[in-house]
Amino acid sequence: SSDLALRVSLHGHVDFLRRLLKEENIEWKTNHSHITTIVIGDAIRCKHIADRLLNEFGLYVQPVNHPTVPAGEECLRIIITARHNRDQITHFVKSLKTILVEEGAHHMQA
């Protein structure tokens, strides 16, 4: 059915996103959901990164700040859908990596 095809596509996209993040040494919280959480750990920085993604790269990502998450766990929640494609996912990861490198990201793996 098309529902099954969408689920397979969605899981493939989420796996692809996480594989690219790992290749770029960008940490994310392990979970079984389709939501990929990248902890930034600072509300101002989190909003700044989200603003740069939108303004410079045309990518809308909602920053999630306190009180929605505990202080110090501010994050970007990435929700991939079956309608996204690999080029869009790659664009997102490359854009995020560019910003994190420029910002001297403290949460990237060594």
Side-chain angles (χ1 to χ4, degrees):
S1 77
S2 65
D3 283 351
L4 177 60
L6 279 176
R7 275 200 304 276
V8 169
S9 177
L10 172 62
H11 288 295
H13 288 348
V14 172
D15 290 344
F16 181 67
L17 168 68
R18 292 175 178 180
R19 192 167 71 243
L20 290 182
L21 289 171
K22 186 172 183 164
E23 287 172 8
E24 295 294 349
N25 296 316
I26 299 171
E27 291 184 24
W28 46 273
K29 280 182 145 178
T30 304
N31 65 58
H32 297 290
S33 162
H34 66 287
I35 300 170
T36 301
T37 301
I38 300 170
V39 176
I40 303 300
D42 174 86
I44 294 169
R45 197 159 169 269
C46 193
K47 176 157 183 2
H48 176 70
I49 292 169
D51 288 347
R52 285 194 64 189
L53 284 167
L54 181 61
N55 297 329
E56 297 172 33
F57 300 97
L59 298 162
Y60 176 75
V61 176
Q62 181 69 46
V64 182
N65 292 323
H66 180 77
T68 306
V69 295
E73 292 184 27
E74 293 81 3
C75 63
L76 302 174
R77 283 195 181 140
I78 314 307
I79 302 173
I80 296 293
T81 71
R83 298 197 187 280
H84 288 106
N85 63 48
R86 287 184 168 223
D87 287 345
Q88 291 169 322
I89 296 167
T90 300
H91 174 60
F92 166 73
V93 173
K94 286 184 183 306
S95 301
L96 179 60
K97 174 72 172 195
T98 297
I99 293 169
L100 293 176
V101 167
E102 289 174 4
E103 302 277 330
H106 67 275
H107 68 282
M108 289 179 53
Q109 297 172 349

